[in-house]
Amino acid sequence: MRRSVVALSSRFASSHLKPFTSSTHSSSLNVLLCNTASIQRNLFTATPYVRGPPPMDLIKQLRVETDAPLGQCRKALEESGNDISKAKEWLRQKGLQTAAKKSSRTTQEGVIGLQQLGNEKCVLLEVNSETDFVINSDKFKEVIDECLNQLVKFNPSQTELSVEQNEQAFENEIVANSAIFGGNGSMKEKFNELVAVLRENVKPRRIKYMINTNTSEHQLVGYLHNSKGEKMGGVGSFVIVKAAPGSSKTPEQLQSLGRQIAMHICGMGPNYLTKEQVPAEVIQHERELLLKRLEEQQAEEKQKAEQEGKEYKPKPQDILNKMIEGQLNKQFLSDHVLLLQPWVLDQKMSVQQFCKDSGVEIVDFIRMKVGEGMQYKPKKSFAEEVAEQVKA
């Protein structure tokens, strides 16, 4: 502290701009002392609030989960204090995250197991692994196949269970439940044996069921994308279809049309069948995001008009409301609602139009993709893995 003051006073005294006099030297030094103390105090008090640049791993995570440009991911994290959830909201507000479903992207390995019990019931099971090498193991396929054969016969209390939703319920009812295998072991025991053989962590993550309550008129159809075996793939889906009123589609024709729709579901990833199924709070949240985006656009337009010396007239609220509803239907709902999505085989028509033209109706559907909704974890390099093993 004293050294800093002496250095500052010496430099100030040697300045040719304003020579010191004996009468002013003391007061000037006092000013310097005060300023220096103030600077040091400000540095100490401001330091805790200084934000460093976002970690590269966090930027990569946001990039993978939103598909936004790297520069914008960095800026979003800076604006959000490196909070990944707030950064996603910032990107969506700016219109840089085009669809919420992109947040399901991940690099986690694993498979989706698919099994159907006639025209009555179906099940989707996600199993995660550390690497993709174990997926091709005969032992891995054998265990998955055995689990699926038993799970499809089981009647759970809920049609959807997962580690994230309720880990304890998933463990008790599915993973550790020996009743699924007729008292002959459980999924937990079988996966423990699998881990011992493969020497890699492999575990079930979630399960979905769908039941066809009208087997005489409805057809249950499944599709497996990116197949890694007869019952395993990267994405799986099931759909229940029926003939539209006035249509005389045979079960075989419904099976063919249902397969096309199930293929679309795998590729396009809808979350809801109809607009009415979208929760009101989800719709309201999207409206608020769109309103903020429009308000920011108007603020930018106003600033530009003022700089150019032009008069700016903001859009009336009723016009803003119409714009919000238009964008809500065009952007959000057409991404997430199956019937409103562009048909995968002809983007000029919607799925709803395809169904109408084909004389078929969709009753229900389920879909599952490996790793969707999981927290992104950057992969370690080979050197890092070797180093960890050496340390261990």
Side-chain angles (χ1 to χ4, degrees), residues 5-273:
V5 172
V6 171
L8 285 169
S9 61
S10 299
R11 186 166 53 185
F12 198 86
S14 61
S15 172
H16 297 289
L17 297 177
K18 186 176 180 181
F20 280 101
T21 64
S22 58
S23 60
T24 60
H25 181 78
S26 178
S27 59
S28 299
L29 186 57
N30 288 336
V31 171
L32 283 169
L33 283 167
C34 292
N35 289 342
T36 305
S38 177
I39 291 168
Q40 190 174 27
R41 184 171 59 253
N42 289 338
L43 284 172
F44 276 114
T45 56
T47 299
Y49 301 97
V50 174
R51 290 176 183 169
M56 185 52 67
D57 284 349
L58 210 56
I59 296 174
K60 288 179 180 178
Q61 174 182 347
L62 189 60
R63 163 70 173 167
V64 169
E65 294 184 0
T66 64
D67 206 32
L70 276 174
Q72 294 297 334
C73 288
R74 180 187 294 275
K75 187 174 181 181
L77 288 166
E78 289 174 349
E79 294 291 330
S80 309
N82 293 341
D83 185 310
I84 197 78
S85 299
K86 291 179 181 178
K88 287 179 183 178
E89 289 298 307
W90 188 90
L91 287 170
R92 294 195 66 193
Q93 184 179 329
K94 299 294 182 182
L96 296 167
Q97 185 181 349
T98 55
K101 63 185 177 184
K102 290 183 179 177
S103 64
S104 64
R105 294 186 178 182
T106 179
T107 59
Q108 303 298 326
E109 305 296 346
V111 294
I112 299 300
L114 174 149
Q115 183 69 297
Q116 186 171 343
L117 185 63
N119 192 36
E120 302 171 9
K121 190 184 355 177
C122 62
V123 63
L124 291 173
L125 170 70
E126 180 178 0
V127 177
N128 297 126
S129 59
E130 293 180 49
T131 69
D132 59 352
F133 295 107
V134 301
I135 296 170
N136 298 316
S137 161
D138 290 337
K139 183 63 177 175
F140 181 84
K141 293 177 181 178
E142 180 185 321
V143 170
I144 298 298
D145 186 65
E146 183 183 3
C147 289
L148 288 170
N149 288 337
Q150 299 304 317
L151 285 168
V152 76
K153 302 172 188 176
F154 180 64
N155 295 314
S157 61
Q158 302 177 59
T159 56
E160 185 172 346
L161 284 163
S162 70
V163 171
E164 289 84 2
Q165 177 187 347
N166 190 327
E167 185 172 5
Q168 194 61 51
F170 182 64
E171 176 79 11
N172 294 340
E173 187 161 5
I174 303 297
V175 180
N177 189 357
S178 60
I180 294 175
F181 293 86
N184 184 23
S186 65
M187 280 183 65
K188 187 172 186 177
E189 293 175 7
K190 295 181 185 301
F191 273 90
N192 285 341
E193 294 173 5
L194 186 61
V195 170
V197 172
L198 299 176
R199 296 183 180 278
E200 182 175 315
N201 192 18
V202 181
K203 57 184 180 180
R205 180 194 169 208
R206 56 183 174 145
I207 194 168
K208 285 184 182 181
Y209 283 91
M210 190 165 68
I211 300 171
N212 184 8
T213 56
N214 189 346
T215 56
S216 60
E217 297 181 9
H218 301 173
Q219 290 296 314
L220 174 63
V221 192
Y223 180 79
L224 190 63
H225 179 67
N226 193 17
S227 176
K228 295 176 174 63
E230 184 181 351
K231 300 178 182 179
M232 301 189 311
V235 190
S237 69
F238 280 102
V239 63
I240 298 176
V241 295
K242 67 176 183 178
S247 173
S248 57
K249 295 293 180 185
T250 65
E252 291 75 19
Q253 289 174 323
L254 288 175
Q255 282 281 329
S256 177
L257 290 167
R259 181 175 172 80
Q260 292 182 56
I261 295 170
M263 186 187 303
H264 171 100
I265 292 167
C266 271
M268 302 304 289
N271 300 108
Y272 312 97
L273 175 58

Side-chain angles (χ1 to χ4, degrees), residues 196-381:
V197 172
L198 299 176
R199 296 183 180 278
E200 182 175 315
N201 192 18
V202 181
K203 57 184 180 180
R205 180 194 169 208
R206 56 183 174 145
I207 194 168
K208 285 184 182 181
Y209 283 91
M210 190 165 68
I211 300 171
N212 184 8
T213 56
N214 189 346
T215 56
S216 60
E217 297 181 9
H218 301 173
Q219 290 296 314
L220 174 63
V221 192
Y223 180 79
L224 190 63
H225 179 67
N226 193 17
S227 176
K228 295 176 174 63
E230 184 181 351
K231 300 178 182 179
M232 301 189 311
V235 190
S237 69
F238 280 102
V239 63
I240 298 176
V241 295
K242 67 176 183 178
S247 173
S248 57
K249 295 293 180 185
T250 65
E252 291 75 19
Q253 289 174 323
L254 288 175
Q255 282 281 329
S256 177
L257 290 167
R259 181 175 172 80
Q260 292 182 56
I261 295 170
M263 186 187 303
H264 171 100
I265 292 167
C266 271
M268 302 304 289
N271 300 108
Y272 312 97
L273 175 58
T274 65
K275 179 180 178 180
E276 289 69 32
Q277 290 180 356
V278 184
E281 59 269 21
V282 173
I283 295 290
Q284 183 58 32
H285 180 63
E286 291 303 314
R287 283 198 180 102
E288 291 172 359
L289 287 176
L290 289 169
L291 178 60
K292 287 180 182 178
R293 192 184 306 170
L294 288 173
E295 288 175 345
E296 287 188 358
Q297 289 176 359
Q298 287 204 120
E300 291 174 0
E301 291 172 1
K302 181 180 179 181
Q303 185 179 10
K304 185 178 179 181
E306 290 175 349
Q307 290 173 351
E308 295 175 354
K310 298 178 181 178
E311 183 182 359
Y312 175 76
K313 293 182 179 180
K315 295 180 179 66
Q317 189 60 46
D318 60 330
I319 299 297
L320 289 176
N321 291 338
K322 289 180 180 178
M323 291 174 67
I324 289 171
E325 292 305 311
Q327 291 182 31
L328 184 67
N329 287 303
K330 186 177 180 180
Q331 296 176 10
F332 180 77
L333 294 178
S334 65
D335 271 337
H336 296 271
V337 177
L338 175 57
L339 292 178
L340 300 181
Q341 287 182 329
W343 175 235
V344 70
L345 299 177
D346 185 356
Q347 298 287 308
K348 294 180 181 179
M349 70 165 67
S350 65
V351 173
Q352 190 169 32
Q353 187 62 49
F354 166 77
C355 290
K356 183 178 179 181
D357 294 347
S358 303
V360 65
E361 287 186 3
I362 302 172
V363 178
D364 200 2
F365 77 92
I366 56 173
R367 176 186 183 270
M368 193 178 283
K369 180 180 179 181
V370 172
E372 62 187 344
M374 292 181 72
Q375 184 179 2
Y376 170 79
K377 295 179 180 179
K379 286 187 175 181
K380 295 177 182 177
S381 67

